[in-house]
Amino acid sequence: MAVGEASFPAMPVIEGLRLGTARAGIKQPSHRDLVVIEIPDGARVAGTFTRNAFCAAPVIVAKEHLAICSVRGQGPRYLVINTGNANAGTGEIGLRDARATCAELARLAGTHAEAVLPFSTGVIGEPLPMERLLAGLPAALQGLDDGPVGWHEAGEGILTTDTRPKGASVIVPLGDDSVTINGIAKGSGMIKPDMATMLAFVATDAAVEQSLLDALLRETVDRTFNCITVDSDTSTNDACMLIATGRGAEVASEEAVRGFRDGLQRVMTELAQAIIRDAEGATKFVTLQVEGAVSRREALDVAFTVAHSPLVKTALYASDANWGRILAAIGRAPVEAFDVSRVIIDLGEVRLVEAGGRAPGYTEEAGSAVMGREEICIRIDLGRGGQAATVWTSDLSHDYVSINADYRS
């Protein structure tokens, strides 16, 4: 189940970057479940990772290898991603297996192990089926492709409970030249990233200095992937990687940085929203816009309090215009000196609340009509300041419970 129609976009070639997949049988023999991304020499790579204290073995190893590459002045050359098994909660065995995966791919590709960054997604607490995973690496390397097929198959190869691959692409004009930004992501449940998304891989042919690449990734992640939530759970395996091959136009001037930032935000916003549209059991795509806050943090706190409320989410699923649940959630948000008489709540074009109570013109019929839509916008004006934030979330359905109850079976 997913909200709205979606088609995987045609991805332009990013010179020097290739993607390959294999069916390694890590969980299901018929599915692509192993992906290799080959990065050209001289490219720059930035990454953000989960802040979960039980971060997975591949997260630990990827961060270690990224730091080693930085010290050596040579960027990573390969990313390797498996689905079906998170390699999280696996202790020293998990670290050994993540490092062994990097070492074997490095041997096959003729590079050093630290030039390989590993990523995993799937069931937590089970050891990787290393024999099958390692046996699948040659096929993934042999299938390396720089065109739309490579991107689409890689988008399929990183899925878990997702119902469809998620991709986005833009061409950004930079003066007389242009650069391409492509991205894929996966995520459907256990979504409240607190750094990135479940897994996202974005690449561009732009030439971007490392410090700027790092800053742009952090900034963009904070306003896209860090603004989505399905179930308020932060995964052990979250990672978002940004690769700049340097084969295209340089991003250096203020105008070029501004244009590139806008393009990057478009790609990541589209990927983040695609995750919510494909959230486990989702029937609604919900935008929460909070304005009139003292700070952006305050606006986010209010938005997430509403987005995480099981009562609000089940009302959305039932198309029940029980606006009291929204009001109550806002009222328990961590806001100091809250003057509720200044709060305005709109459901789509329908005014729900003003002056501390139900808006005079509100009717149940009008509220129910908006709640019955697949896409719903809830706007909240706190009347306290000039800061705002937007969060995207989904409803909570019977299917969400079933999917997660049956996940390991």
Side-chain angles (χ1 to χ4, degrees):
M1 185 181 297
V3 179
E5 298 295 327
S7 58
F8 196 88
M11 299 287 212
V13 170
I14 292 180
E15 184 183 350
L17 191 89
R18 298 193 298 168
L19 305 93
T21 63
R23 293 179 173 88
I26 294 170
K27 188 173 182 182
Q28 296 177 335
S30 61
H31 291 189
R32 291 186 176 89
D33 55 9
L34 187 61
V35 176
V36 170
I37 301 177
E38 183 180 70
I39 302 169
D41 191 25
R44 294 188 171 97
V45 179
T48 57
F49 301 88
T50 182
R51 296 190 181 113
N52 192 307
F54 273 104
C55 64
V59 170
I60 295 171
V61 174
K63 290 167 72 173
E64 288 176 351
H65 287 189
L66 195 59
I68 292 169
C69 287
S70 177
V71 170
R72 291 177 175 174
Q74 298 175 328
R77 294 300 313 279
Y78 291 89
L79 310 182
V80 56
I81 310 114
N82 75 268
T83 185
N85 186 303
N87 193 13
T90 48
E92 288 299 321
I93 292 174
L95 290 169
R96 180 200 65 195
D97 290 344
R99 293 187 175 112
T101 301
C102 295
E104 178 61 10
L105 180 56
R107 185 188 70 80
L108 293 169
T111 187
H112 54 86
E114 293 80 11
V116 180
L117 308 185
F119 304 87
S120 299
T121 181
V123 175
I124 294 171
E126 296 182 4
L128 280 172
M130 288 300 291
E131 185 175 345
R132 281 173 276 166
L133 192 157
L134 298 181
L137 290 174
L141 284 171
Q142 290 167 12
L144 288 170
D145 184 286
D146 64 357
V149 172
W151 281 100
H152 188 269
E153 291 185 348
E156 291 181 338
I158 61 176
L159 305 182
T160 50
T161 58
D162 310 60
T163 68
R164 57 198 186 193
K166 301 161 181 64
S169 179
V170 298
I171 295 177
V172 181
L174 298 180
D176 296 331
D177 211 333
S178 65
V179 296
T180 297
I181 307 174
N182 291 346
I184 56 174
K186 65 81 48 184
S188 192
M190 198 177 279
I191 301 283
K192 184 185 181 293
D194 191 26
M195 49 56 60
T197 184
M198 297 304 95
L199 289 178
F201 305 98
V202 181
T204 178
D205 56 357
V208 189
E209 286 297 326
Q210 187 67 53
S211 60
L212 178 59
L213 195 71
D214 292 335
L216 288 173
L217 178 62
R218 288 193 302 270
E219 175 187 332
T220 309
V221 160
D222 191 50
R223 293 186 175 271
T224 57
F225 295 127
N226 276 354
C227 289
I228 61 174
T229 181
V230 171
D231 43 27
S232 77
D233 274 307
T234 296
S235 171
T236 54
N237 291 63
D238 293 357
C240 178
M241 307 304 296
L242 176 59
I243 303 161
T245 68
R247 303 292 180 90
E250 184 177 10
V251 177
S253 69
E254 288 187 13
E255 183 180 1
V257 171
R258 189 163 51 248
F260 183 79
R261 177 190 287 114
D262 290 346
L264 184 61
Q265 177 133 349
R266 283 169 56 195
V267 167
M268 291 194 175
T269 298
E270 189 172 335
L271 292 174
Q273 291 183 352
I275 288 171
I276 296 301
R277 293 181 184 279
D278 193 29
E280 289 173 344
T283 70
K284 304 287 176 70
F285 174 85
V286 184
T287 300
L288 283 156
Q289 296 176 345
V290 179
E291 57 189 46
V294 171
S295 65
R296 174 171 165 78
R297 181 69 263 166
E298 181 178 89
L300 285 169
D301 285 343
V302 171
F304 278 120
T305 301
V306 177
H308 292 156
S309 167
L311 289 177
V312 171
K313 293 169 83 70
T314 50
L316 289 163
Y317 171 63
S319 300
D320 178 13
N322 189 346
W323 55 267
R325 294 180 176 183
I326 301 172
L327 178 144
I330 296 169
R332 66 178 172 83
V335 176
E336 293 184 5
F338 210 157
D339 184 353
V340 298
S341 69
R342 304 179 69 178
V343 175
I344 295 172
I345 308 173
D346 292 326
L347 179 66
E349 69 280 8
V350 176
R351 176 67 45 91
L352 297 178
V353 171
E354 61 185 15
R358 185 175 67 180
Y362 174 75
T363 66
E364 188 78 4
E365 182 181 19
S368 296
V370 177
M371 288 292 274
R373 298 171 185 168
E374 271 197 336
E375 301 200 15
I376 298 169
C377 180
I378 300 172
R379 289 185 294 274
I380 303 162
D381 187 341
L382 301 179
R384 293 163 52 84
Q387 297 299 307
T390 299
V391 164
W392 300 282
T393 192
S394 56
D395 56 338
L396 181 58
S397 70
H398 299 289
D399 282 348
Y400 175 87
V401 177
S402 297
I403 289 166
N404 283 284
D406 299 337
Y407 183 58
R408 285 167 51 91
S409 56

